[in-house]
Amino acid sequence: MRVIAKSTLRKFWESGHYADAVTPMKEWYHFLSKAKWATPQDLKADLGSASILKGGRAVFNVAGNKYRVVAAIDYEKQIAWIRFVGTHPQYDQIDAETV
């Protein structure tokens, strides 16, 4: 899976507020980069803590659910676009299906 864009994650952990996010975000990025999912069901089978949303979106819990990443996934092209990175409370303030 090609993940677009790692710079979005980097901006988050380099913001000065989330230094503890560096390692879990890098691990999540590397995990996703190696993934090959043909369907949302494949993703869910491989990563049970992920939530599958409408429109090819998925929500990933990172660092024991302290952080959330929303990605729009094109399974055919094997591309995941990062749409949101934030804390759990920040995630609660957005609409993950439209962000």
Side-chain angles (χ1 to χ4, degrees):
M1 182 80 51
R2 181 174 174 211
V3 183
I4 301 174
K6 187 176 183 180
S7 62
T8 305
L9 298 173
R10 190 177 305 113
K11 282 181 195 175
F12 181 76
W13 74 60
E14 289 179 350
S15 70
H17 303 298
Y18 311 107
D20 65 331
V22 175
T23 300
M25 290 289 178
K26 285 182 178 179
E27 289 172 354
W28 176 85
Y29 176 83
H30 291 295
F31 177 84
L32 215 70
S33 296
K34 294 176 184 175
K36 294 192 186 312
W37 301 311
T39 65
Q41 293 77 17
D42 291 344
L43 184 162
K44 189 69 174 171
D46 197 24
L47 195 60
S49 64
S51 298
I52 307 301
L53 305 178
K54 297 177 195 173
R57 301 242 174 161
V59 180
F60 299 91
N61 300 319
V62 180
N65 206 20
K66 185 173 184 180
Y67 302 111
R68 294 263 177 111
V69 177
V70 177
I73 301 175
D74 184 323
Y75 296 93
E76 186 176 317
K77 295 179 182 176
Q78 291 293 291
I79 299 173
W81 289 273
I82 297 173
R83 307 300 299 150
F84 169 84
V85 181
T87 64
H88 196 134
Q90 290 167 338
Y91 170 82
D92 290 339
Q93 301 298 313
I94 66 160
D95 180 351
E97 293 181 358
T98 60
V99 68

